[in-house]
Amino acid sequence: MDQAEAQEKIVTALKAKLKSKSKFYFNDLSGILDMKPREAKKFINKMVEDGILEYWSSGSTSMYGLPGTGKQAGAEHEEK
Amino acid sequence: MAKHKTPLLDQLESGPWPSFVSDLKQEAAKRAKNEKGLELQIPKDVVEDLLGVLELSYKHGKTHWKHGGIVGVFGYGGGVIGRYCDQPTMFPGVAHFHTVRVAQPAGKFYSTEHLRKLCNLWDFRGSGITNMHGSTGDIILIGTTTPQLEEIFFEMSHNMNQDLGGSGSNLRTPADCIGQARCEYACYDTQDLCHTLTLEYQDELHRPAFPYKFKFKFDGCPNCCVASIARSDMSFIGTWKDDIRIDAEAVKAYVGGEIKPNGGAHAGRDWGKFDIQKEVVALCPTGCMKYENNKLTINNRECTRCMHCINAMPRALRIGKETGCSILVGAKAPILDGAQMGSLLVPFVEVNKDDGYQAIKDVVEGIWDWWMEEGKNRERLGELIKRQGFQKMLEAVGIDPVPQHVKEPRSNPYIFWKEEEVEGGWTRDIDAFRKDHMR
């Protein structure tokens, strides 16, 4: 799988779930890619670097989401 | 005149101990005066508002903080924790009040110059409030706004050779004791190992891909000054293989009262003459020491490295020469579910600087591979070990079981063999069986 294909899979899957969920655990993403965590991490890191995904952290737990989705971005005045 | 009235907080100052309320008031006054004439980048009255919101929380009996968010610095998934006040109109100074975790140097050695630079930066771009080495161990800078984060990170990483620490589902900022820099008990160079692994695992520290938090802590000896056995998912505790070195002359000097026991500590009252039998030999948990005919002997094979005798008579007893570390896994110290201590995984491993600590890295990476694949979301390593079993972990990381892994005599009398461990497997020739056993 190349980066573009991985990105396509992730974006499609995350968009499909947007109505009920905007933040995803790393395990959810590696599950979508059907890869072992370490392998999936390379693709996911690149997606964060390219701005396709963004981190969300509660302080103790980290999650991933599509930029600008979910309540947080608007509610906390974090628009870029 | 304070911005907000804080009668409940003021009451806290009346106790016998130093009060954080007094500290905050002092900082609030310092910011109000701003004697250095700094162009303060976040509201001047941030500390006043912090006191105000805390007073309100005390009054309401509930928090007015929200935590979590997308704030961070580019490329890092940790190091910054978003915090927001849910009463931003009443307390605009703390509407955004993010926490920045800064990696502490190994052994927490830094120069006053470095500390001053950090504090100056934080006075300028943050609230000026710090929490040095709290339960996370790192340098915590409390309270700044989102636009300041990249500025702070740039200044730290470009001009101060300073990185952010870990937060979220990351490797957290590794912590170690002062080690061989100042302590003769240290069985390995904790600072070098801690620093090396911190640099090696930058990706794990800054880009979250673990099921939950993961902590390394390095203790140079079993005194465990950084409490790694209780607080880290992977704990490295210095130990030795050979015998405790005994200096018979120094033992005599302790017995004769020429050397003060316990390195002169606990000297606040007169405990009477040092009694080696009562204070050392009888307190040995395995009873492996004897003091007969003015001679101290130790049955080293029974020693469990409790450190008591060495602590009591440091000039007479010294750690062995063949040193390394033990690796324990699975500790956690949560408030809600109760604490869990680490379990011994590797009884002894050489801490070999020359090969870049390869033996240790192999264990670390084996554990991570297993936990990343099998761990549920928000499940610590210790919980996974409990759920799947210690044996499962040993199989996953390729470590053979050894007697030291056994905690207690087993309570389950059955042995569950695997098919491949049994000659012939689970299938059998029924005709051969019937030759000896009639239907």
Side-chain angles (χ1 to χ4, degrees):
Chain A
M1 192 185 296
D2 65 5
Q3 185 68 32
E5 200 184 330
Q7 188 173 314
E8 170 70 26
K9 268 191 166 181
I10 292 277
V11 173
T12 313
L14 265 52
K15 276 190 177 160
K17 288 183 183 169
L18 258 187
K19 271 190 183 165
S20 56
K21 227 174 159 186
S22 63
K23 302 285 175 283
F24 299 83
Y25 285 106
F26 180 84
N27 275 353
D28 300 333
L29 303 187
S30 56
I32 292 167
L33 294 177
D34 195 20
M35 283 179 189
K36 293 211 167 208
R38 278 190 188 275
E39 208 182 327
K41 189 175 181 183
K42 288 175 197 157
F43 290 109
I44 293 165
N45 276 353
K46 182 81 175 91
M47 283 179 231
V48 173
E49 200 184 313
D50 295 344
I52 310 298
L53 292 174
E54 72 181 5
Y55 295 122
W56 184 94
S57 168
S58 70
S60 70
T61 312
S62 307
M63 299 182 91
Y64 293 76
L66 296 168
T69 59
K71 275 186 204 163
Q72 190 88 23
E76 315 294 8
H77 318 288
E78 301 295 345
E79 299 95 333
K80 286 182 182 159
Chain B
M1 179 67 187
K3 185 177 172 188
H4 306 284
K5 284 194 174 158
T6 56
L8 296 171
L9 293 182
D10 297 345
Q11 201 270 328
L12 290 178
E13 290 182 283
S14 62
W17 309 107
S19 168
F20 73 95
V21 176
S22 309
D23 287 350
L24 288 176
K25 285 181 179 173
Q26 192 183 326
E27 180 62 18
K30 188 186 145 203
R31 283 182 78 84
K33 271 191 196 162
N34 190 15
E35 280 177 347
K36 285 184 191 164
L38 292 175
E39 271 185 56
L40 299 175
Q41 297 295 300
I42 73 165
K44 198 174 195 174
D45 54 0
V46 54
V47 187
E48 301 263 15
D49 279 351
L50 177 64
L51 286 163
V53 73
L54 185 58
E55 177 76 17
L56 189 68
S57 288
Y58 276 27
K59 199 170 145 192
H60 289 169
K62 58 189 167 196
T63 184
H64 286 287
W65 291 113
K66 300 182 286 179
H67 68 108
I70 55 171
V71 291
V73 297
F74 186 70
Y76 276 33
V80 178
I81 301 154
R83 303 213 188 269
Y84 304 90
C85 177
D86 69 4
Q87 290 293 347
T89 324
M90 225 186 290
F91 308 106
V94 293
H96 292 197
F97 198 69
H98 309 319
T99 296
V100 182
R101 284 197 184 152
V102 179
Q104 82 274 31
K108 302 188 182 76
F109 275 98
Y110 25 44
S111 62
T112 49
E113 186 195 0
H114 187 72
L115 275 179
R116 195 164 288 118
K117 274 187 192 169
L118 266 179
C119 290
N120 285 344
L121 175 65
W122 195 236
D123 278 339
F124 176 45
R125 295 199 177 275
S127 68
I129 305 167
T130 62
N131 173 19
M132 302 303 280
H133 317 303
S135 52
T136 60
D138 40 20
I139 301 165
I140 310 266
L141 305 179
I142 302 170
T144 193
T145 56
T146 310
Q148 297 306 314
L149 296 170
E150 288 291 355
E151 305 282 348
I152 290 165
F153 181 57
F154 182 92
E155 181 65 21
M156 282 185 183
S157 53
H158 287 73
N159 300 327
M160 294 170 66
N161 195 23
Q162 175 72 66
D163 198 4
L164 294 187
S167 68
S169 306
N170 272 323
L171 171 64
R172 299 301 182 83
T173 323
D176 63 332
C177 68
I178 56 171
Q180 290 172 336
R182 286 184 62 82
C183 181
E184 64 200 49
Y185 300 159
C187 298
Y188 69 97
D189 188 345
T190 52
Q191 293 190 51
D192 192 67
L193 181 57
C194 182
H195 189 68
T196 305
L197 294 192
T198 305
L199 295 184
E200 175 83 17
Y201 297 124
Q202 283 285 296
D203 193 54
E204 283 75 9
L205 230 162
H206 299 307
R207 282 166 277 279
F210 287 154
Y212 202 18
K213 61 180 88 164
F214 192 94
K215 300 176 186 177
F216 278 150
K217 291 191 196 293
F218 306 87
D219 275 305
C221 81
N223 274 332
C224 241
C225 290
V226 288
S228 67
I229 196 169
R231 294 187 185 166
S232 61
D233 298 270
M234 198 166 218
S235 154
F236 301 83
I237 304 178
T239 188
W240 60 93
K241 257 184 170 177
D242 51 347
D243 297 347
I244 293 174
R245 286 174 280 168
I246 304 176
D247 178 341
E249 287 305 310
V251 173
K252 270 187 205 160
Y254 275 107
V255 174
E258 290 127 53
I259 306 176
K260 285 182 182 164
N262 303 303
H266 314 297
R269 55 173 275 201
D270 183 10
W271 297 93
K273 193 173 179 298
F274 176 64
D275 182 343
I276 190 169
Q277 182 61 38
K278 187 176 149 206
E279 293 177 45
V280 179
V281 176
L283 294 180
C284 175
T286 61
C288 72
M289 307 182 84
K290 263 188 198 167
Y291 186 69
E292 285 172 344
N293 305 322
N294 297 326
K295 199 181 170 202
L296 183 72
T297 51
I298 301 174
N299 176 6
N300 281 278
R301 288 188 58 83
E302 293 298 320
C303 170
T304 52
R305 316 286 187 269
C306 84
M307 294 295 289
H308 176 72
C309 60
I310 296 179
N311 291 335
M313 305 193 295
R315 282 173 67 181
L317 301 175
R318 294 167 66 196
I319 58 170
K321 281 183 170 172
E322 209 180 326
T323 57
C325 78
S326 300
I327 303 178
L328 291 89
V329 287
K332 62 195 181 84
I335 300 165
L336 293 179
D337 305 330
Q340 186 172 308
M341 299 284 271
S343 302
L344 184 67
L345 175 66
V346 180
F348 185 90
V349 61
E350 255 184 62
V351 183
N352 191 351
K353 201 175 185 169
D354 298 336
D355 71 352
Y357 306 114
Q358 198 51 52
I360 287 173
K361 288 177 190 167
D362 289 345
V363 177
V364 169
E365 287 164 26
I367 288 283
W368 279 347
D369 283 343
W370 177 60
W371 178 54
M372 285 171 82
E373 231 169 282
E374 298 291 330
K376 291 181 181 175
N377 293 326
R378 295 173 63 85
E379 184 175 51
R380 293 283 289 272
L381 176 64
E383 291 159 330
L384 174 63
I385 296 171
K386 283 221 155 169
R387 181 162 63 83
Q388 292 204 347
F390 197 85
Q391 191 180 354
K392 199 87 183 165
M393 178 185 62
L394 290 180
E395 284 164 18
V397 300
I399 293 178
D400 289 334
V402 291
Q404 288 94 330
H405 289 148
V406 179
K407 187 182 167 196
E408 57 195 317
R410 62 204 171 96
S411 48
N412 184 338
Y414 296 103
I415 294 170
F416 295 97
W417 300 100
K418 286 186 190 147
E419 188 168 5
E420 63 269 21
E421 290 169 337
V422 179
E423 201 180 333
W426 296 152
T427 53
R428 61 182 178 185
D429 181 352
I430 192 68
D431 295 331
F433 178 79
R434 284 289 163 234
K435 271 186 199 167
D436 296 327
H437 307 276
M438 285 185 290
R439 189 178 286 277

